[in-house]
Amino acid sequence: MLFDLQVFLLNLSFVFLLFFIYHKYVEGKINKASNEIVIGVISAISIILCMTFPLSISPGFYFDFRQVPFIIGMLYGGRKVGVSLLIVLLTYRFIMDFGPGFQSSVIIYVLIFIGLCYLFPRFQQATKFKHKLTIAIVANSLSVILLLVVVYFFNVNLTLNAWISLTLFYCLQVIVMFLFILFIERAKAESYMLSELKELEKLKVVSEIAASISHEVRNPLTVTKGFLQLLQDKTITDDKKDFYIRLSLNELERAEVIISDYLTFAKPSLDNVELLELNEELEYVLKIVTPYATMRNITITLSKTKQMFVAGERQKLHQCLINLVKNGIEAMPDKGQITMSLHESNEQAIIAIQDTGIGMSEDQMKRLGTPYYSTKTTGTGLGTMVAYSIIKAMRGEIEVDSKQGVGTCFTIKLPKVNCENKH
Ligand code: ADP
Ligand code: MG
């Protein structure tokens, strides 16, 4: 082997691991400024790790993958991140004082930095995956060439073997870069598509429920219309008149409440975490889905308990519960019963949604929560996936128990927030 495989793989894993962590847990969840900080810190750690475990090809001459986190960090993070990385890299390089001289490093990385300042806006503006990939590869190839040229001028005494290793290593670096961008961009595209799909799913549920809501609103309107017709009669007593007017107002109020409840559900999510009281939230969900259930001869009951708080996004929790109750309703073609209940166990709030529908087989249960799995002709197969991801984001768990022909029970466990002063 021309160079130490172990150290090579170690370098590779530093680069991949740190960005994997970044992408998996941070990206998209925080705002732009903290995003830059995270990219900067992760790239800096990656650079330091790579420099701490370098490959040696001839005594006193070391090289490593530090260019990859440097370039990636700057392309994704911007100029400010670039400056910080440059400072970190050169300072650490100065402290270690390895290799053919600190000056060559300064020349190489300042030049790479200037080049990246020019490429960064193009990289950010590129919408096509191919363009991003090309820019990153060009940046990387140029910096490799630059490095080899500078090394050539500062280290003419390297052996031929060492030169071959060096060139091979940096060619591999370009491949690593290629894989890296491929990996990040694919993952980004996928998570973007998934969030779009979740939006679409919500729209579908909103429109399906709208049909039943309009139905529900028609009743109070019809009743009010009837009373108004009765009021046209000049001969009725004042008492009767009052009575009709009061009833009409009540009915109109009911219609108003139904519509305004529905509208809050239909509004796009606010994305802020609040303290949620589960009895209240379940009550709200009950109101939203009742018209949908009534249309299909289904009754929904809710058994409440003492106040219980959890932390989460209100609309997301509604969306999750509505998706599950809606599935329950759709699992009962003629008529049936859905029971929502709330209780507490081991510091956890437990919400159970039980239906008396067709149930599922073992196989079906296993596929729950995976996208596009649907047994319905107009199903999207996204409802349970969205519900699962919402509960996961709230650090909770979901369990399913189902028997074909008997019914299904979804159990949601959420970590309770203790707040005595809220009582
Ligand atoms: P969709 O409702 O669009 O089909 P979901 O992700 O909400 O998509 O549900 C996926 C599948 O899981 C459904 O098509 C159905 O077969 C099954 N399922 C979900 N909930 C229940 C339930 N309560 N009873 C029976 N089957 C269910
Ligand atoms: Mg569904």
Side-chain angles (χ1 to χ4, degrees), residues 327-328 331 355 359-360 368 373-376 379-384 408 410:
N327 276 347
D355 66 56
M360 283 174 278
L368 268 187
Y373 168 65
S374 177
T375 52
K376 299 165 196 167
T380 56
L382 296 170
T384 47
T408 307
F410 279 92

Side-chain angles (χ1 to χ4, degrees), residues 6 27 52 76 79 157 235 240 341 356-357 365 421:
Q6 266 178 338
E27 233 255 349
T52 314
Y76 283 96
R79 294 195 181 101
N157 53 352
T235 59
K240 269 252 162 72
S341 64
T356 55
M365 279 202 287
N421 51 351

Side-chain angles (χ1 to χ4, degrees), residues 45-320:
I45 295 175
S46 190
I47 288 173
I48 290 177
L49 282 174
C50 284
M51 288 170 77
T52 314
F53 300 95
L55 281 155
S56 168
I57 38 166
S58 73
F61 189 86
Y62 297 90
F63 56 100
D64 55 59
F65 271 157
R66 77 186 87 151
Q67 283 191 350
V68 180
F70 183 70
I71 294 173
I72 300 239
M74 194 163 164
L75 286 180
Y76 283 96
R79 294 195 181 101
K80 270 184 255 160
V81 173
V83 174
S84 334
L85 291 181
L86 188 66
I87 294 171
V88 169
L89 194 150
L90 293 179
T91 314
Y92 195 57
R93 178 66 187 71
F94 184 73
I95 297 168
M96 291 176 87
D97 200 27
F98 276 147
F102 177 65
Q103 306 93 301
S104 58
S105 279
V106 175
I107 296 172
I108 293 169
Y109 290 99
V110 169
L111 284 177
I112 295 180
F113 174 76
I114 294 169
L116 286 175
C117 281
Y118 171 77
L119 285 175
F120 163 71
R122 281 160 187 73
F123 184 79
Q124 288 289 315
Q125 278 160 15
T127 43
K128 281 208 182 114
F129 170 63
K130 252 197 266 170
H131 293 163
K132 287 200 168 187
L133 202 62
T134 317
I135 294 173
I137 297 294
V138 166
N140 198 222
S141 311
L142 288 180
S143 56
V144 167
I145 293 169
L146 176 72
L147 188 130
L148 293 177
V149 170
V150 174
V151 167
Y152 179 76
F153 283 114
F154 278 79
N155 294 274
V156 265
N157 53 352
L158 279 184
T159 62
L160 179 68
N161 222 343
W163 271 108
I164 293 174
S165 299
L166 197 63
T167 316
L168 188 64
F169 181 80
Y170 283 112
C171 287
L172 278 174
Q173 179 178 298
V174 177
I175 296 174
V176 168
M177 186 73 155
F178 172 84
L179 289 175
F180 203 96
I181 299 280
L182 196 77
F183 164 77
I184 287 196
E185 289 300 321
R186 277 279 156 82
K188 265 192 164 171
E190 240 162 62
S191 69
Y192 176 74
M193 219 169 77
L194 207 65
S195 66
E196 288 283 291
L197 270 180
K198 285 181 183 176
E199 277 305 303
L200 272 181
E201 157 71 18
K202 166 129 188 212
L203 278 182
K204 186 155 189 286
V205 173
V206 163
S207 73
E208 277 169 353
I209 288 187
S212 61
I213 296 280
S214 51
H215 189 76
E216 193 79 349
V217 171
R218 223 176 57 192
N219 288 343
L221 289 184
T222 319
V223 174
T224 311
K225 188 175 154 201
F227 285 136
L228 288 177
Q229 276 164 350
L230 287 176
L231 281 174
Q232 275 181 325
D233 185 352
K234 298 276 185 304
T235 59
I236 53 169
T237 61
D238 277 356
D239 275 358
K240 269 252 162 72
K241 254 190 204 165
D242 275 353
F243 177 69
Y244 290 155
I245 290 175
R246 217 175 41 243
L247 281 182
S248 302
L249 285 176
N250 279 348
E251 288 296 310
L252 285 178
E253 207 164 293
R254 197 161 74 90
E256 202 186 348
V257 168
I258 294 171
I259 291 177
S260 63
D261 275 345
Y262 171 74
L263 286 180
T264 27
F265 170 63
K267 262 200 293 202
S269 180
L270 291 170
D271 280 343
N272 50 355
V273 175
E274 301 170 71
L275 213 52
L276 308 172
E277 205 285 306
L278 286 179
N279 288 289
E280 278 172 28
E281 303 310 328
L282 284 171
E283 185 99 50
Y284 175 84
V285 168
L286 179 71
K287 276 197 282 187
I288 293 283
V289 288
T290 299
Y292 192 69
T294 319
M295 243 172 44
R296 287 151 205 255
N297 277 328
I298 287 160
T299 47
I300 309 185
T301 54
L302 166 64
S303 66
K304 300 197 283 187
T305 57
K306 65 178 175 68
Q307 278 196 317
M308 230 182 270
F309 293 93
V310 295
E313 291 169 41
R314 174 164 284 124
Q315 278 166 318
K316 290 270 164 68
L317 180 67
H318 292 164
Q319 194 186 351
C320 162

